[in-house]
Amino acid sequence: MAPKKRKADEEPVELTTKTSSTARVTRSSTRGANGSILADSMAVVLPTQVPKKTHKKGKASTTEEKISKLGVSSKTIVIEHCKQCNSFKTRAMQVKTGLENGVADIQVLVNPAKPRRGCFEIRVEGGEKFISLLEMKRPFAPMKALDMVKVIEDIVDKIK
């Protein structure tokens, strides 16, 4: 059986005990006997107004914009790898560290845009492609057959 409803002119019954650090404030407990809101018992927190972010139309930052912001005039190598399998990522990181150690003035970008499926590609920004393995199916045999140390050496030689 449901409990009886309280009348509006009765004081609210508190079921919880108040502690000195936390006091529970409900909508019904902030109203006085005549239905007016008690200002001292209710803390009003107004949210600060945050300006809305405006979105630019078109592409969000391209790699050329990223390079121009950095002010670097070195060569940029793009490594595009699929996110489907971790073997793509490990090979991409291996190539990135090898190129950064092998060539002094180089910038290596890994997946600057959304990568294609089954893709492992190493290229100069807007130019020559060193390796392009596209639309590979599992178990990614063409990529796993590559000797990554030799590939890194060949790319460093071509850059220099």
Side-chain angles (χ1 to χ4, degrees), residues 12-31 41-43:
V13 178
E14 290 190 43
L15 298 176
T16 60
T17 60
K18 288 188 178 181
T19 60
S20 61
S21 63
T22 346
R24 184 174 177 181
V25 179
T26 61
R27 286 178 284 180
S28 62
S29 67
T30 58
R31 297 199 179 270
S41 66
M42 186 169 74

Side-chain angles (χ1 to χ4, degrees), residues 18-148:
K18 288 188 178 181
T19 60
S20 61
S21 63
T22 346
R24 184 174 177 181
V25 179
T26 61
R27 286 178 284 180
S28 62
S29 67
T30 58
R31 297 199 179 270
N34 60 359
S36 64
I37 298 175
L38 300 174
D40 59 337
S41 66
M42 186 169 74
V44 178
V45 178
L46 297 175
T48 58
Q49 292 186 1
V50 178
K52 292 183 179 179
K53 293 182 181 179
T54 58
H55 296 286
K56 294 179 183 177
K57 291 189 176 181
K59 283 189 172 181
S61 60
T62 61
T63 56
E64 294 171 0
E65 292 173 6
K66 289 178 187 176
I67 295 167
S68 64
K69 287 180 186 176
L70 294 173
V72 179
S73 62
S74 65
K75 276 199 166 188
T76 304
I77 305 295
V78 176
I79 301 172
E80 182 181 351
H81 69 87
C82 179
K83 293 183 177 181
Q84 181 180 1
C85 181
N86 203 27
S87 60
F88 288 98
K89 182 180 177 182
T90 55
R91 283 171 174 73
M93 290 299 129
Q94 186 179 2
V95 171
K96 180 181 179 181
T97 55
L99 290 176
E100 287 173 346
N101 293 339
V103 182
D105 222 16
I106 196 168
Q107 182 181 11
V108 181
L109 298 173
V110 178
N111 281 349
K114 184 178 178 186
R116 294 170 278 183
R117 184 170 182 216
C119 171
F120 186 77
E121 188 172 73
I122 304 169
R123 64 181 183 270
V124 176
E125 179 71 33
E128 178 186 6
K129 293 180 183 177
F130 299 114
I131 292 179
S132 182
L133 301 172
L134 302 175
E135 298 177 9
M136 284 186 287
K137 305 278 185 207
R138 283 190 184 267
F140 314 116
M143 180 186 64
K144 291 184 179 179
L146 290 175
D147 180 20
M148 295 310 288

